[in-house]
């Protein structure tokens, strides 16, 4: 039986039931300084809690149920109101992104294992792509730091920045080009690993370019690329170049911008409308660069699988298109311009008609069934 140690205090047993936390968990949170009791009996070590501690205890229980690690819970509990809410939102955004990546991997594994069934392999027609790429300086910039590439197995767009931006972007894409010729020989189960290795090599190539510049830390590139083998497609993305999918009339952005402004949108600090006109909307949070935390290549890149269907149309582009031309206009152009060569020319022309303030690069690829 719990002894009363003072007016209003609750023993650990009663407090545990009210907070829906086990006594073992309460003892752990006390040791961590996350939820210390109001009083500890000096003779027995028995813990007593104040009723006003229940709100915090219940918050800890909810966050644990959400799956948040203890370090994150400590951060949330140390914050007030809106800041605490923003931290929970940011955590859940990361969880959803991780879940989406694992969902794609699960779908890939299901398909990969199904291919070992001869009946299913025979029933699945192989896919190929019809593609075109175009890069343009635009109407304001003196030089073009973009790189656009399209081959039978590889699609890529890189947007370089800094004094060595053009060679940095070209170096990153050149590394991935080695996969274009060899993609047919990449086993399906090794597709993501091959792309991850290539991105690490691309990061080293960019660092090599940056090392020759006066300010290596200000030199780098974005990279958005897709690699095909058989009927599978892998996507790598870092920075604010983008990939879009046109499927069954719907138009979807399938990459997530790695910018400081997009991070503020994810955390609820900015609305999407406010982000469009924010003066720092192009400030990158991740890139392949000469120095800093984003230089490890695959460590900062999103690498995942994207399902492909006959009739799909993919667009890869630099922000010289996405930041200048409204998404509805891009969508309409892709729908009404069936030939990939015509489509990339039309998209570049749209960017230039809207002022062409930046280099603009586009890759358009249509997924088609290959002859048996």
């Amino acid at each position: 039986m719990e002894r009363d140690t003072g007016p209003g205090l609750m023993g650990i047993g009663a407090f545990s039931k009210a907070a829906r936390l086990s006594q073992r968990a309460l003892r752990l949170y006390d040791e961590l300084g996350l939820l210390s009791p109001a009083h500890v009996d000096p003779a027995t070590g028995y813990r007593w809690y104040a009723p006003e501690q229940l709100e915090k205890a219940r918050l800890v229980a909810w966050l644990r149920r959400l799956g948040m690690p203890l370090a994150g819970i400590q951060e949330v509990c140390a914050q007030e109101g809106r800041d605490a809410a923003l931290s929970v939102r940011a955590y859940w955004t990361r969880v959803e992104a991780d879940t989406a990546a694992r969902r794609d991997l699960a779908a890939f594994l299901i398909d990969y294992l199904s291919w070992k069934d001869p009946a299913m392999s025979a029933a699945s027609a192989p896919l190929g792509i019809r593609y075109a790429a175009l890069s343009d300086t635009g109407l304001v910039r003196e030089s073009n730091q973009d790189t656009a590439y399209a081959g039978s197995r590889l699609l890529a767009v890189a947007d370089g920045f800094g004094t060595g931006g053009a060679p940095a972007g070209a170096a990153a894409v050149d590394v991935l080009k080695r996969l274009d010729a060899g993609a047919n020989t990449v086993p399906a189960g090794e597709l993501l690993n091959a792309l991850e290795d290539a991105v690490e090599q691309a990061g080293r190539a960019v660092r090599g370019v940056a090392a020759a510049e006066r300010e290596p830390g200000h030199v780098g590139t974005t990279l958005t690329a897709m690699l095909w083998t058989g009927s599978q497609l892998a996507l790598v993305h870092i920075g604010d170049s983008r990939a879009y999918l046109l499927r069954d009339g719907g138009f979807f952005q399938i990459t997530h911008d790695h910018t400081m402004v997009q991070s503020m949108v994810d955390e609820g600090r900015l609305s999407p409308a406010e982000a469009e006109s924010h003066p720092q909307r192009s400030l990158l949070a991740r890139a392949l660069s000469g120095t800093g935390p984003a230089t490890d290549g695959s460590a900062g890149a999103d690498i995942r699988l994207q399902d492909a269907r006959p009739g799909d149309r993919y667009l890869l582009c630099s922000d010289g298109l996405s930041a200048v031309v409204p998404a509805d206009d891009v969508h309409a152009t892709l729908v009404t311009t069936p030939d990939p060569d015509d489509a990339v020319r039309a998209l570049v022309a749209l960017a230039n008609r809207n002022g062409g303030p930046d280099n603009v690069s586009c890759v358009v690829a249509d997924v088609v069934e290959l002859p048996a």
Side-chain angles (χ1 to χ4, degrees):
M1 179 179 294
E2 295 178 355
R3 294 172 296 171
D4 186 6
T5 191
L9 292 184
M10 303 171 65
I12 190 172
F15 190 80
S16 169
K17 291 179 181 178
R20 297 184 182 273
L21 288 169
S22 69
Q23 294 186 36
R24 181 179 179 182
L26 287 173
R27 286 191 287 269
L28 173 62
Y29 300 155
D30 180 17
E31 293 171 4
L32 295 174
L34 177 60
L35 188 62
S36 300
H39 174 74
V40 178
D41 189 304
T44 65
Y46 195 81
R47 294 169 172 83
W48 297 86
Y49 294 83
E52 54 266 26
Q53 291 183 281
L54 277 174
E55 182 178 359
K56 181 177 180 179
R58 286 166 178 158
L59 173 61
V60 171
W62 291 331
L63 293 174
R64 287 299 285 165
R65 194 174 304 167
L66 194 64
M68 183 177 286
L70 289 174
I73 292 175
Q74 287 178 311
E75 180 181 341
V76 171
C77 290
Q79 296 171 326
E80 297 290 339
R82 178 174 171 79
D83 288 339
L86 291 175
S87 292
V88 174
R89 176 178 291 184
Y91 166 75
W92 193 246
T93 297
R94 292 192 297 271
V95 170
E96 289 182 322
D98 180 62
T99 301
R102 286 186 285 135
R103 181 175 60 244
D104 291 340
L105 180 57
F108 165 76
L109 289 173
I110 292 169
D111 289 344
Y112 172 60
L113 294 172
S114 297
W115 290 344
K116 294 183 178 180
D117 183 341
M120 291 196 68
S121 298
S124 302
L127 301 178
I129 51 174
R130 296 170 56 243
Y131 52 85
L134 183 62
S135 185
D136 188 79
T137 304
L139 304 181
V140 176
R141 299 292 178 90
E142 295 181 356
S143 62
N144 191 353
Q145 293 189 307
D146 282 5
T147 299
Y149 174 82
S152 60
R153 298 294 174 182
L154 178 71
L155 313 170
V157 166
D159 182 356
F161 56 85
T163 54
V173 173
D174 283 344
V175 170
L176 266 66
K177 283 182 183 179
R178 301 170 195 167
L179 295 173
D180 198 4
N184 280 324
T185 63
V186 177
E190 293 296 319
L191 183 56
L192 286 181
N193 292 337
L195 193 57
E196 184 173 358
D197 290 343
V199 176
E200 290 180 356
Q201 295 170 26
R204 290 195 290 269
V206 170
R207 292 197 294 277
V209 171
E213 301 295 327
R214 287 183 299 176
E215 296 183 336
H218 295 161
V219 176
T221 185
T222 70
L223 180 64
T224 300
M226 290 181 166
L227 177 67
W228 296 74
T229 178
S231 298
Q232 289 294 301
L233 179 155
L235 169 70
V236 58
H237 167 69
I238 186 167
D240 65 351
S241 297
R242 291 181 177 180
Y244 292 91
L245 168 63
L246 181 67
R247 172 178 287 174
D248 298 330
F251 188 53
F252 313 97
Q253 181 181 336
I254 59 174
T255 53
H256 194 72
D257 291 349
H258 298 147
T259 61
M260 299 304 296
V261 166
Q262 183 60 53
S263 297
M264 288 189 284
V265 172
D266 296 340
E267 294 170 3
R269 300 179 186 178
L270 285 178
S271 70
E274 290 170 331
E276 291 180 1
S277 58
H278 196 281
Q280 294 182 315
R281 61 186 177 278
S282 297
L283 183 61
L284 294 175
R286 290 192 237 164
L288 298 178
S289 61
T291 58
T295 57
D296 291 334
S298 62
D302 296 334
I303 301 177
R304 62 183 178 83
L305 291 152
Q306 175 69 31
D307 68 307
R309 302 177 189 172
D312 285 350
R313 167 167 275 195
Y314 287 92
L315 166 67
L316 277 61
C317 66
S318 63
D319 66 343
L321 178 73
S322 58
V324 174
V325 180
D328 288 345
D329 293 345
V330 174
H331 182 190
T333 300
L334 291 173
V335 168
T336 58
T337 315
D339 182 73
D341 281 300
D342 293 339
V344 294
R345 285 195 291 267
L347 291 170
V348 169
L350 269 178
N352 287 334
R353 279 203 296 272
N354 284 11
D358 197 359
N359 308 145
V360 55
S361 294
C362 303
V363 173
V364 171
D366 296 331
V367 181
V368 296
E369 288 188 358
L370 297 176

